[in-house]
Amino acid sequence: MITHPDTDPLKLRNLAAILAAMSGASQCLSLWLLPTTPTLLIIALMGTFYLVLGLGLFGISRFSLFLAITLLPLRGWFGLYPLDIPAWELLRVASDITIALLCVPPLWASLHPHHQKIEPGMRVHADNSDMLEPDKSGVDNA
């Protein structure tokens, strides 16, 4: 199975991880930019969830993909906008939807039964796997 380089599941997953980590860092950074209120502390706590999710997306777990697809768009769906800055909230909702959409192809590729994951350096070895087996008809050197 040959995939297009722009839709490679590993690249999409890494891009989603970078966006999630940037979103989490910006939410935690808001503690230094805005006056401290209880809602801002909740935003910073959600930012730590985004940072942990970004670290999980850099790994190989399907659970982090599932969390990114299900939990991130829910805040925009239910209208949880704790800040009174509409541009900031619109940017956050757009990044949540982008992260969720970027996580769909890697999750599908990991669940699809015919999707083969071959490392780039192992592609030649996988094609010539019958040539790598030792010849059993010869004399044993033991």
Side-chain angles (χ1 to χ4, degrees):
M1 177 178 176
I2 298 174
T3 60
H4 192 272
D6 293 336
T7 58
D8 182 31
L10 183 62
K11 288 183 183 180
L12 293 177
R13 185 178 180 130
N14 286 340
L15 183 61
I18 290 169
L19 284 175
M22 287 176 50
S23 178
S26 67
Q27 290 177 40
C28 291
L29 184 68
S30 66
L31 283 173
W32 284 274
L33 299 176
L34 299 171
T36 304
T37 60
T39 58
L40 193 63
L41 293 175
I42 292 172
I43 290 172
L45 184 65
M46 288 190 317
T48 57
F49 169 73
Y50 276 72
L51 286 172
V52 170
L53 182 67
L55 288 174
L57 287 173
F58 276 120
I60 59 171
S61 173
R62 288 185 216 160
F63 184 66
S64 58
L65 290 169
F66 180 73
L67 284 179
I69 292 171
T70 56
L71 293 183
L72 296 187
L74 284 179
R75 190 176 66 202
W77 180 265
F78 288 117
L80 301 174
Y81 308 121
L83 286 181
D84 294 333
I85 306 170
W88 180 268
E89 294 297 335
L90 181 65
L91 180 64
R92 193 171 344 162
V93 169
S95 68
D96 288 348
I97 292 172
T98 303
I99 292 167
L101 289 176
L102 285 173
C103 288
V104 170
L107 183 64
W108 173 257
S110 69
L111 295 175
H112 196 266
H114 299 295
H115 182 74
Q116 295 180 349
K117 293 183 180 179
I118 300 174
E119 296 294 325
M122 299 302 291
R123 188 170 301 276
V124 175
H125 300 297
D127 293 338
N128 300 327
S129 61
D130 57 338
M131 295 175 58
L132 294 176
E133 295 180 15
D135 187 20
K136 299 203 190 273
S137 63
V139 177
D140 202 15
N141 289 337

